[in-house]
């Protein structure tokens, strides 16, 4: 099967998954996050309610898309979705609550911030945020199975990448636009050279021995 046809078939399967959920529960929202693993910057959580009458071609797991394609789809999703919301959870909150519960809170905030109240929430992963006030279901590898979750993964990824690119302009010595804050060899080298800034996650650095509460 040619690549374009295979991508179209995959897109249809993701929308078919959501259609089955809508038949059972009503208006469906997809939720995902980006940035749980980096040493710095926020974790970004997104919630999306797609328009079933206006499917967006190419929606897929953000990790399977090129940066250029994600950027284009971000514009399509934010323009054509029935509702969407993006929430940034700062490093200080991550340090206070730990990354899991900071992410859970961010996901709940994203759903609460939607202009349309969903009847059911599909959450990427194996756990649902306890702060949701609507029924929800965790979907393992949801961004590869649900169009709504895939759309949320794109919004979260692009939003966080853009944030890190802006931060890079303020702190070019850390090359944040290059590694996006993830724990690469280059990033550790730059940390040793320049030290940490307020946008770093102290709890992550402490585990790696880069910060001792001084």
């Amino acid at each position: 099967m040619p690549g374009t046809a295979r991508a179209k078939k995959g897109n249809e399967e993701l929308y078919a998954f959501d259609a089955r959920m809508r038949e059972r529960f009503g208006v469906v929202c997809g939720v995902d996050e980006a940035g749980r693993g980096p040493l710095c910057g926020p974790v970004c959580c997104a919630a999306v309610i797609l328009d079933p009458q206006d499917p967006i071609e190419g929606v897929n797991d953000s990790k399977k898309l090129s940066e250029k394609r994600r950027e284009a789809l971000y514009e399509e999703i934010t323009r054509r979705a029935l509702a969407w919301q993006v929430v940034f959870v700062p490093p200080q909150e991550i340090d206070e609550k730990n990354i899991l519960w900071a992410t859970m809170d961010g996901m709940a905030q994203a759903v609460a911030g939607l202009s349309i109240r969903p009847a059911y929430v599909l959450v990427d992963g194996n756990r649902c945020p306890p702060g949701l006030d609507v029924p929800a279901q965790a979907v393992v590898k949801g961004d590869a199975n649900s169009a709504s979750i895939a759309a949320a993964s794109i919004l979260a990824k692009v939003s966080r990448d853009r944030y890190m690119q802006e931060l890079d302009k303020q702190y070019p010595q850390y090359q944040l636009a290059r590694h996006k804050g993830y724990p690469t060899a280059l990033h550790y080298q730059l940390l040793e050279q320049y030290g940490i800034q307020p946008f770093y996650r102290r709890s992550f650095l402490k585990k790696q021995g880069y910060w001792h509460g001084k």
Side-chain angles (χ1 to χ4, degrees):
M1 182 183 294
T4 303
R6 184 163 51 247
K8 184 176 181 181
K9 182 175 184 292
N11 192 233
E12 291 173 350
E13 289 174 351
L14 266 62
Y15 270 93
F17 178 92
D18 286 11
R20 292 192 295 271
M21 292 293 147
R22 275 193 304 275
E23 288 175 4
R24 293 176 60 190
F25 304 108
V27 177
V28 167
C29 160
V31 179
D32 203 356
E33 53 74 27
R36 285 184 64 164
L39 302 174
C40 63
V43 64
C44 186
C45 303
V48 180
I49 299 176
L50 292 174
D51 183 351
Q53 303 304 316
D54 184 23
I56 301 171
E57 186 174 342
V59 167
N60 205 335
D61 175 0
S62 64
K63 296 184 290 295
K64 297 180 180 179
L65 303 169
S66 68
E67 182 176 355
K68 182 179 179 181
R69 187 66 180 130
R70 285 196 300 266
E71 286 282 349
L73 282 167
Y74 176 97
E75 300 303 328
E76 289 293 304
I77 294 164
T78 54
R79 181 170 61 86
R80 294 163 59 184
L82 294 177
W84 62 276
Q85 183 65 257
V86 172
V87 169
F88 292 92
V89 183
Q92 295 75 19
E93 190 171 339
I94 292 171
D95 288 337
E96 179 184 338
K97 297 178 178 177
N98 79 42
I99 186 61
L100 172 62
W101 295 113
T103 302
M104 294 290 104
D105 286 353
M107 288 180 167
Q109 290 175 43
V111 174
L114 291 168
S115 58
I116 297 173
R117 180 182 170 87
Y120 201 69
V121 178
L122 300 173
V123 182
D124 183 58
N126 60 6
R127 184 190 297 252
C128 292
L132 292 174
D133 60 356
V134 292
Q137 173 181 333
V139 183
V140 176
K141 296 183 179 179
D143 44 12
N145 289 287
S146 160
S148 297
I149 296 178
S153 79
I154 292 167
L155 295 198
K157 173 65 174 170
V158 172
S159 296
R160 190 180 189 282
D161 283 357
R162 289 179 178 179
Y163 181 98
M164 297 306 291
Q165 286 159 3
E166 288 300 311
L167 200 59
D168 177 73
K169 296 175 184 177
Q170 301 175 51
Y171 299 89
Q173 69 270 34
Y174 293 95
Q175 300 189 40
L176 299 170
R178 182 172 175 182
H179 52 69
K180 304 298 190 300
Y182 282 88
T184 64
L186 170 64
H187 194 181
Y188 281 126
Q189 178 185 331
L190 296 170
L191 263 174
E192 291 278 8
Q193 186 173 355
Y194 297 107
I196 65 172
Q197 299 290 343
F199 55 82
Y200 274 89
R201 303 173 183 179
R202 266 54 173 181
S203 55
F204 280 46
L205 294 174
K206 189 174 181 180
K207 290 177 182 177
Q208 299 296 330
Y210 281 83
W211 188 73
H212 304 285
K214 297 179 182 178

